[in-house]
Structure formats: structure tokens, C-alpha cells
């Protein structure tokens, strides 16, 4: 039986609680050993080398402030997703400040520059090609146009190889040039089988250079004509390609030993196929002339569409325009052909693309050129040959010193070039991997899911495309290899006026300047560089 505690003992304990207990009394209550000296009199632990001699809570004097207290946790283990919330200022290392100033990185607040060739030289990427996806109205064309204009300050010329909507024509005119327009009420004629820019310098080529140029031309023309034939719905056979190359060599006089090819047109090739001579039949081992005509009928019918069909009068005569290939920008405007049908527009883009590629033959070491291919999926729908041609151009971009820009609304545009699992679709999927730089602008949720599947985007990147990127025109996720940058493109007031894709809804614009293209481009580039730098500085200050 427990004896009750005496009243004096209870009174003493209550007085002890009221007066407070020291450390020794607390330890005694838990039956722990009491140190020989009070805790506050024990030897202090040695201070760390990098810690000053100030007391932990600072000096008790006015104006000297407080020192930081130690964190309650010695170690924190977490995932990379959570680290972004704990340390919101953490960001991917920025890109080097070289090339065109695009805008600012919304995460880091720093300026964002773009120069795909410099990125290749610095081993940030492996190719200089750019792929752009974005819904209409998200600033896709404006951002591309701003990049083109600002790269002119670095001596980089531009070729718009098929402006489907005429969106780049105001920029071309602002720089003192006139776009090459095809369509109704236009008297422009383009011969895709002429020498193009090479004609002006052919006499200066050595024999070896001329021989190489002839082989390149025959190969390019054969690919073009075979691709046009495939658009008729029949695959092109190796025999068709050999027949085309033979006809081209014969018509240009190369077979006879000419060192400068004779001018020829597509109607010339069409006539040579429909009236095949015995040499052609015998050389390619056809049993009879009728056998030859039957076997090559899809080829001749496709070429006949350019002579007598919906594109009659555009590509069946000699070129009647003088193009300044040294100008800072050239544009092939095909917006006037939309009324002739989807296929006619695609064929026109193919012919113009082959013809304009001669401009790359004028390159010298270090001379870069940007080639913009808007809605290139139209051309790729003509057949596997056209898809393979685009694939080859992207693979040779570094060797040919070209920055290729492919623009489309969504990946599905690129993957509708054939049946599911077909060779065309498989090659088209490979095109996505041939563009190390991807600019992804505002999209709907369905398209963002498609982008995430094809481009292996993270959940956060997918949310950016459907959320932040839709908040304002010019916003985009720049994916350079595995790095991602949340960039807001900046435009000057003059650029907004030139790049306005809704200008037709607002009424007539001011007439373009008549000054020389070089002087205008130099002045515009200088003004743009200064204005964009100021705009970016102001924007960054507010981030």
C-alpha cells in the first residue's frame, strides 16, 4: 500500500514548478546522469573555419542585424520535380549570347539568342535545322521573320522556298526587294530546268568544276521529274529514273560532249518521251517502241500536267525574271496558286524548291543561307520520292552551310504523307530527329499530347505549351537537344507593322521603300538590334 505524500513535500514540489526547474532537476526526473558541470558551463565546440566570430544571433547593437540560424534539417532528400518548387530560381544554363536576339527567358530573366550554326560549332547541337510547330495566331511566322531579319546583321541571307500564304512578302518589300509571285494575272515564268544562279558564273568554272556541276544538275532534275511523276499515283522505278537521266543528257548536249548545257524545258522532255527514238528504246532494253511508251506513260502524263494542265504557263517556258541571288532575302510567293488545287500548289512548291536550290551552289566557305520551307508537308504528300528529297536536304545542311526552317501547325501534318507504317511516314518521322532545335508554340491539349508522344516532352513542358504559350503571341518552348527554354519573343513597333499577318483585315499599308536592298537591310538590322535590346532589357527588368 502506497503511503500518501506528505503535505510539506507536495508544497515544495509545487513551489519548485512555479519557480522553474534547472537542467539537473529535469535530467533527474528522467533518471539520466547529471553532468559534473552545468551544460551552459561546458566547453564550447570549436567554430567552423569559414564561420566568423560573431554570436549566432548577432550583436545586440542597433543596426547590426541578425545572423542566419542553422537549418533544422542536416540532409534533405527530394526529387528533381520538388527541387524546382523549393528553389524556383534554379534554371538550365542559358545559351551563349551569339546570333539573333530573340527575346528573354521567362525563367531566368536573361536574354535569349539564337544562332544554330554556332550551336553546332560549340557542340550544343549536331545540326542547324529548326522545326517550328504552332497554331495559327500564336506568332509562329512573326518569330521566324524576326529571326531572319536579325540574322541579316551577321551576313546571313534568306530564301523563302514557297511562301504559301504570302506572309513574308511585306518583309521582302521592306528590304527593297520584290517577291517572285506566281499565280493568276502574273506573267512570271520559272524554268526548273535552267542553270539558275549558276548561269552567271558558269564560264569561270574549271573543267572539273563544270563536270561536277553537270552531274549535280542532272541528278537534281531527274529527282524533280521522277517526283512529279510519282505524284500521279504510280511509284517511280529505277528504269524511269535512268530513262529521265538519259533524256536530259541527250537534250542538254552532254552526251555529245558539251561542257555548257543547252537550255531545255519540261515540254522538251515531254516530247522526247512521247516520241522516243530507237536509240532510247534499245539503250534501255525495251522490246518495242510501243512497250517503251506503255511503260513510261505515267511519267509522260505527269509531265503533261505541267504543260497542258492546271499549271500551264508557269513552268513550261524559259525563266523571264532576273533574280538578285546576292540580296539579303528572296521569296517565292505561291499564294496566288491556292485556287488551282492542293496538288497544283504542291507541284509548284516542288519545282520552285528544285530551281532555287541552285542558289546553294554559289556558296563559299562560311557563307550561310537560311531556307524557309513553310507547310512543306504539302510537297511531301506527292510521294515517297519527295519525302526522301527533303530528308536528304536536312542531312546535308551542315555540308551545304544551310539553316533549314520547317514550319507546320502540328506533327500530324508531317505524318499524313502516306499510309500508317508506310515508307513515307517512317521517313517523315525521321525528319523530326534531323532537327535538333524545335520551337513549340501554343497548342490545344490534343495537339500537345501528340507533341509529347512524338518529341518525348515532359509533363511540365506539355503544360507550358497548352498554358503559358497561349497567353501571348511569340511565346514558345525552345527545345535545343535536351535543354528547354521558356522564351518570350520581342518585336519592335516597326516589326509588328511589317510582320502583321492580319494586315489585309486592317486596310492598305504604306507603300514600300524604294531604297537599295543592301542599304535598307543594313539600316533595318541596326535599328532592330538597338530597339530589341532596349525592349528585352525593359522586359527582363520586370521579370
Amino acid at each position: 500500500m502506497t503511503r500518501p505524500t506528505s503535505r510539506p513535500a507536495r508544497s515544495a514540489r509545487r513551489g519548485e514548478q512555479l519557480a522553474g526547474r534547472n537542467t539537473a532537476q529535469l535530467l533527474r526526473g528522467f533518471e539520466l546522469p547529471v553532468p559534473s558541470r552545468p551544460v551552459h558551463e561546458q566547453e564550447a565546440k570549436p567554430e567552423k573555419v569559414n564561420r566568423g566570430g560573431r554570436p549566432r544571433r548577432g550583436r545586440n547593437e542597433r543596426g547590426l542585424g541578425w545572423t542566419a540560424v542553422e537549418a533544422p534539417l542536416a540532409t534533405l532528400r527530394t526529387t528533381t520535380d520538388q527541387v524546382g518548387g523549393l528553389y524556383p530560381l534554379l534554371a538550365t544554363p542559358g545559351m551563349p549570347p551569339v546570333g539573333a536576339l530573340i527575346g528573354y527567358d521567362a525563367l531566368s530573366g536573361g536574354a535569349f539568342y539564337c544562332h544554330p550554326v554556332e550551336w553546332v560549332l560549340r557542340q550544343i547541337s549536331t545540326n542547324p535545322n529548326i522545326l517550328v510547330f504552332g497554331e495559327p495566331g500564336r506568332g509562329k511566322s512573326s518569330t521566324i521573320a524576326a529571326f531572319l531579319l536579325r540574322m541579316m546583321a551577321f551576313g546571313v541571307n534568306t530564301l523563302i522556298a514557297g511562301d504559301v500564304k504570302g506572309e513574308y512578302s511585306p518583309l521582302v518589300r521592306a528590304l527593297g526587294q520584290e517577291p517572285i509571285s506566281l499565280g493568276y494575272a502574273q506573267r512570271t515564268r520559272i524554268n526548273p530546268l535552267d542553270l539558275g544562279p549558276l548561269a552567271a558564273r558558269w564560264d569561270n568554272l574549271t573543267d572539273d568544276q563544270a563536270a561536277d556541276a553537270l552531274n549535280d544538275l542532272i541528278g537534281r532534275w531527274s529527282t524533280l521529274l521522277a517526283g512529279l511523276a510519282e505524284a500521279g499515283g504510280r511509284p517511280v522505278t529505277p528504269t524511269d529514273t535512268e530513262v529521265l537521266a538519259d533524256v536530259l543528257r541527250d537534250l542538254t548536249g552532254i552526251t555529245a560532249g558539251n561542257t555548257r548545257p543547252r537550255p531545255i524545258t519540261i515540254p522538251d522532255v515531254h516530247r522526247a518521251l512521247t516520241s522516243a527514238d530507237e536509240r532510247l528504246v534499245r539503250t534501255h532494253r525495251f522490246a518495242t517502241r510501243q512497250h517503251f511508251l506503255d511503260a513510261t506513260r505515267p511519267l509522260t502524263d505527269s509531265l503533261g500536267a505541267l504543260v497542258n494542265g492546271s499549271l500551264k504557263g508557269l513552268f513550261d517556258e524559259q525563266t523571264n525574271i532576273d533574280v538578285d541571288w546576292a540580296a539579303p532575302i528572296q521569296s517565292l510567293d505561291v499564294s496566288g496558286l491556292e485556287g488551282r488545287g492542293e496538288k497544283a500548289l504542291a507541284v509548284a512548291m516542288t519545282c520552285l524548291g528544285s530551281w532555287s536550290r541552285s542558289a546553294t551552289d554559289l556558296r563559299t566557305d562560311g557563307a550561310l543561307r537560311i531556307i524557309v520551307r513553310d507547310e512543306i508537308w504539302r510537297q511531301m504528300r506527292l510521294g515517297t520520292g519527295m519525302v526522301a528529297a527533303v530528308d536528304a536536304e536536312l542531312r546535308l545542311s551542315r555540308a551545304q552551310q544551310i539553316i533549314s526552317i520547317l514550319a507546320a501547325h502540328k506533327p500530324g501534318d508531317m505524318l499524313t504523307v502516306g499510309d500508317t507504317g508506310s515508307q513515307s511516314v517512317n521517313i517523315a518521322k525521321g525528319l523530326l530527329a534531323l532537327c535538333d532545335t524545335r520551337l513549340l508554340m501554343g497548342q490545344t491539349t490534343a495537339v500537345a499530347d501528340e507533341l509529347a508522344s512524338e518529341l518525348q516532352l515532359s509533363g511540365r513542358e506539355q503544360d507550358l505549351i497548352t498554358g503559358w504559350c497561349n497567353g501571348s503571341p511569340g511565346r514558345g518552348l525552345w527545345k535545343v537537344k535536351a535543354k528547354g527554354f521558356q522564351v518570350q519573343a520581342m518585336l519592335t513597333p516597326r516589326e509588328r507593322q511589317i510582320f502583321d499577318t492580319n494586315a489585309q483585315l486592317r486596310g492598305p499599308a504604306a507603300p514600300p521603300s524604294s531604297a537599295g536592298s543592301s542599304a535598307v537591310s543594313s539600316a533595318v538590322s541596326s535599328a532592330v538590334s538597338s530597339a530589341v535590346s532596349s525592349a528585352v532589357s525593359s522586359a527582363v527588368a520586370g521579370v
Side-chain angles (χ1 to χ4, degrees):
M1 182 173 180
T2 305
R3 296 179 62 184
T5 306
S6 62
R7 182 179 298 274
R10 288 198 302 268
S11 300
R13 185 172 299 174
R14 180 165 181 79
E16 179 182 306
Q17 292 175 351
L18 293 175
R21 290 178 292 174
N22 57 27
T23 303
Q25 292 171 333
L26 288 172
L27 292 175
R28 191 178 298 113
F30 288 95
E31 298 182 355
L32 295 176
V34 179
S36 56
R37 289 183 296 174
V39 175
H40 66 276
E41 295 181 2
Q42 293 184 19
E43 295 181 3
K45 295 181 180 179
E47 293 286 342
K48 294 183 178 179
V49 175
N50 61 349
R51 182 177 296 175
R54 299 184 302 274
R56 288 192 54 186
R57 296 186 180 278
R59 296 178 182 174
N60 189 15
E61 298 180 30
R62 184 174 182 179
L64 294 184
W66 289 63
T67 58
V69 297
E70 293 181 356
L73 297 177
T75 302
L76 173 64
R77 293 184 178 180
T78 182
T79 64
T80 53
D81 289 340
Q82 293 170 328
V83 168
L86 293 172
Y87 302 97
L89 298 182
L90 285 181
T92 305
M95 303 300 281
V98 293
L101 176 56
I102 301 298
Y104 65 90
D105 188 334
L107 280 182
S108 66
F112 183 84
Y113 296 80
C114 178
H115 198 316
V117 173
E118 282 292 331
W119 293 349
V120 172
L121 296 177
R122 300 181 186 220
Q123 299 182 350
I124 298 173
S125 62
T126 57
N127 63 70
N129 304 318
I130 302 176
L131 184 63
V132 184
F133 286 130
E135 279 195 328
R138 294 296 95 212
K140 181 171 73 269
S141 299
S142 298
T143 303
I144 295 175
F147 172 69
L148 304 180
L149 179 60
R150 297 167 192 180
M151 287 297 287
M152 292 177 193
F154 302 91
V156 182
N157 294 345
T158 294
L159 173 65
I160 311 295
D163 187 357
V164 179
K165 301 175 184 176
E167 294 177 325
Y168 299 96
S169 293
L171 173 61
V172 176
R173 294 190 178 99
L175 294 173
Q177 288 290 316
E178 187 64 27
I180 303 169
S181 300
L182 296 175
Y184 294 110
Q186 298 289 340
R187 300 189 59 83
T188 303
R189 300 293 182 269
I190 298 293
N191 177 21
L193 303 184
D194 67 15
L195 295 180
L198 281 175
R201 55 174 293 187
W202 191 273
D203 294 335
N204 297 327
L205 298 179
T206 64
D207 293 341
D208 291 339
Q209 289 175 334
D212 291 340
L214 286 173
N215 290 331
D216 290 342
L217 285 173
I218 296 300
R220 184 180 304 162
W221 294 343
S222 298
T223 301
L224 168 66
L225 297 177
L228 296 178
E230 190 178 17
R234 173 183 175 273
V236 176
T237 65
T239 301
D240 294 335
T241 304
E242 287 297 323
V243 168
L244 285 172
D246 192 358
V247 169
L248 290 171
R249 291 191 185 95
D250 185 54
L251 292 174
T252 56
I254 296 175
T255 303
N258 289 5
T259 56
R260 184 185 180 102
R262 288 195 299 261
I264 62 172
T265 61
I266 290 180
D268 295 332
V269 178
H270 184 258
R271 281 191 296 270
L273 291 172
T274 54
S275 59
D277 55 21
E278 290 300 324
R279 184 200 66 82
L280 193 61
V281 174
R282 187 173 56 256
T283 300
H284 296 282
R285 302 185 301 279
F286 286 95
T288 62
R289 182 174 179 275
Q290 188 61 45
H291 181 206
F292 175 89
L293 295 176
D294 292 340
T296 59
R297 182 179 300 278
L299 191 63
T300 56
D301 289 347
S302 297
L303 298 181
L306 295 176
V307 179
N308 303 310
S310 58
L311 295 179
K312 181 180 180 180
L314 296 179
F315 303 106
D316 52 1
E317 299 178 15
Q318 294 294 344
T319 304
N320 62 359
I321 56 174
D322 186 18
V323 182
D324 181 11
W325 293 106
I329 188 171
Q330 286 289 354
S331 176
L332 309 176
D333 188 342
V334 295
S335 58
L337 296 178
E338 282 201 274
R340 301 199 181 190
E342 185 79 19
K343 186 174 180 179
L345 183 60
V347 169
M349 293 174 64
T350 302
C351 291
L352 289 173
S354 176
W355 176 71
S356 61
R357 274 197 61 197
S358 299
T360 62
D361 297 331
L362 300 176
R363 66 185 181 276
T364 57
D365 290 343
L368 305 177
R369 185 181 295 271
I370 301 173
I371 297 183
V372 180
R373 302 187 183 278
D374 194 10
E375 299 190 15
I376 195 172
W377 51 269
R378 296 175 183 261
Q379 175 184 338
M380 293 164 59
R381 284 181 178 177
L382 293 178
T384 305
M386 290 297 97
V387 180
V390 175
D391 180 82
E393 290 179 15
L394 294 181
R395 293 181 186 276
L396 295 174
S397 57
R398 287 193 304 174
Q400 296 180 346
Q401 302 164 207
I402 293 174
I403 301 172
S404 293
I405 301 179
L406 308 183
H409 297 313
K410 57 185 183 299
D413 295 339
M414 310 283 288
L415 303 180
T416 56
V417 297
D419 297 331
T420 303
S422 64
Q423 183 181 6
S424 298
V425 171
N426 291 333
I427 297 176
K429 285 185 176 181
L431 296 180
L432 302 179
L434 293 176
C435 298
D436 272 358
T437 302
R438 293 93 175 262
L439 170 54
L440 310 177
M441 310 193 80
Q443 298 281 7
T444 61
T445 303
V447 177
D449 292 340
E450 184 182 348
L451 284 170
S453 174
E454 297 295 338
L455 304 181
Q456 291 78 50
L457 303 180
S458 67
R460 180 181 178 278
E461 291 172 336
Q462 192 173 351
D463 292 340
L464 280 176
I465 296 172
T466 57
W468 182 82
C469 291
N470 284 318
S472 176
R475 290 182 176 182
L477 173 64
W478 288 72
K479 289 283 291 184
V480 185
K481 277 290 192 180
K483 297 181 179 180
F485 302 91
Q486 189 176 330
V487 178
Q488 170 68 69
M490 303 294 294
L491 301 179
T492 66
R494 178 59 176 152
E495 285 179 320
R496 292 193 191 96
Q497 179 184 0
I498 297 174
F499 306 157
D500 186 7
T501 56
N502 294 323
Q504 294 179 346
L505 302 177
R506 308 181 198 280
S513 172
S514 59
S517 61
S518 298
V520 173
S521 64
S522 177
V524 171
S525 297
S526 300
V528 165
S529 298
S530 176
V532 172
S533 297
S534 300
V536 170
S537 298
S538 300
V540 168
V543 173

